[in-house]
Amino acid sequence: MGETVDHGALMDRVYRWQRRFGFYDSTRKYYLLARDPMIAGLQPPRDATVLEIGCGTGRNLVEAARKYPGARFHGVDISREMLSAASAAVARNSLVGRVRLAWADAAGFDPVRTFGHESYDRIFISYAVSMIPQWRAVMCDAARHLAPGGELHIADFGDMADLPAWSKTAMYKWLHWYHVTPRRDLFEAATEIASELGGTSDHRRLHRGFSWIAVIKRP
């Protein structure tokens, strides 16, 4: 519990001012480059229920709700500061009836207790596994919350293997300042989790390895 409280407090300190006045979303669009390709790949069935773990300012939920008007959306975040921004974004875009938000620690999230919902057709995690200490456990739990035929989509920073050495070094140092640690074994973890479910996984390397997308598909 102490770790949960500490991590939530850390995220509030990091984003308390960044989330205001649209600063976070206006700057992140220049390097959170896999968000929109991930959303485009969700393709939820009609009347699907979709969950975002680590919903931040609600930017992705708003974009996904616009793109898939037949689906319903839930979002959780450990930062109350970010949830405040997300609530405002949902209201501003007249999506209160289709998007529900709640405070939750991704490492101990219970969808039944939080939303009264047992499983999801799609779950996505956008640039959050690189900030969650227990990221593998979170991915495992998320995969277990998938409905039959459901999919878990994860977008994050990659290994940047094809970038010039100087830019890779500078980027990793900059990310470290914001408590972000790219998971170089993300694809391996996704493959293992999919195998445990009897499912499959797909991997995409974008922007010379700067961006990664992993998809776990439950049979």
Side-chain angles (χ1 to χ4, degrees):
M1 181 66 177
E3 185 172 309
T4 296
V5 172
D6 290 346
H7 189 60
L10 172 63
M11 293 299 98
D12 280 341
R13 289 197 301 272
V14 170
Y15 294 118
R16 177 168 288 118
W17 299 110
Q18 289 192 48
R19 62 96 174 173
R20 298 176 188 272
F21 312 115
F23 177 81
Y24 180 92
D25 288 327
S26 64
T27 57
R28 265 52 179 185
K29 67 182 179 181
Y30 295 109
Y31 56 91
L32 302 187
L33 304 178
R35 295 183 302 180
D36 289 339
M38 179 197 63
I39 291 171
L42 290 175
Q43 298 294 319
R46 186 165 183 80
D47 298 322
T49 305
V50 182
L51 167 70
E52 181 177 16
I53 296 175
C55 65
T57 63
R59 181 266 185 194
N60 293 331
L61 286 172
V62 169
E63 292 296 321
R66 287 172 173 169
K67 188 172 183 65
Y68 305 111
R72 294 164 295 155
F73 294 85
H74 294 167
V76 297
D77 204 284
I78 197 171
S79 168
R80 298 188 188 279
E81 290 286 340
M82 285 301 216
L83 279 175
S84 178
S87 295
V90 168
R92 190 166 58 248
N93 288 276
S94 302
L95 292 169
V96 173
R98 291 181 50 218
V99 179
R100 296 175 59 192
L101 303 171
W103 181 92
D105 176 14
F109 172 61
D110 181 346
V112 175
R113 185 174 66 242
T114 305
F115 292 115
H117 204 79
E118 187 170 356
S119 61
Y120 291 89
D121 300 290
R122 297 289 186 273
I123 299 175
F124 65 97
I125 309 175
S126 175
Y127 291 90
V129 297
S130 54
M131 302 188 74
I132 299 172
Q134 316 92 325
W135 65 278
R136 281 177 174 266
V138 168
M139 286 175 57
C140 286
D141 286 344
R144 285 194 286 268
H145 292 144
L146 291 172
E151 298 175 2
L152 168 61
H153 293 241
I154 300 166
D156 219 303
F157 297 106
D159 60 9
M160 308 184 194
D162 298 328
L163 294 179
W166 66 268
S167 61
K168 177 180 176 180
T169 299
M171 189 65 188
Y172 268 77
K173 182 177 291 187
W174 185 80
L175 291 174
H176 180 72
W177 291 343
Y178 288 94
H179 308 280
V180 175
T181 305
R183 310 304 182 183
R184 302 188 188 194
D185 51 346
L186 173 63
F187 290 162
E188 288 83 354
T191 299
E192 292 173 8
I193 294 169
S195 178
E196 291 171 3
L197 292 173
T200 60
S201 64
D202 295 331
H203 310 142
R204 294 175 61 192
R205 291 172 53 88
L206 305 174
H207 316 114
R208 301 177 68 184
F210 183 84
S211 310
W212 280 1
I213 296 176
V215 181
I216 296 171
K217 299 180 180 181
R218 183 164 193 160

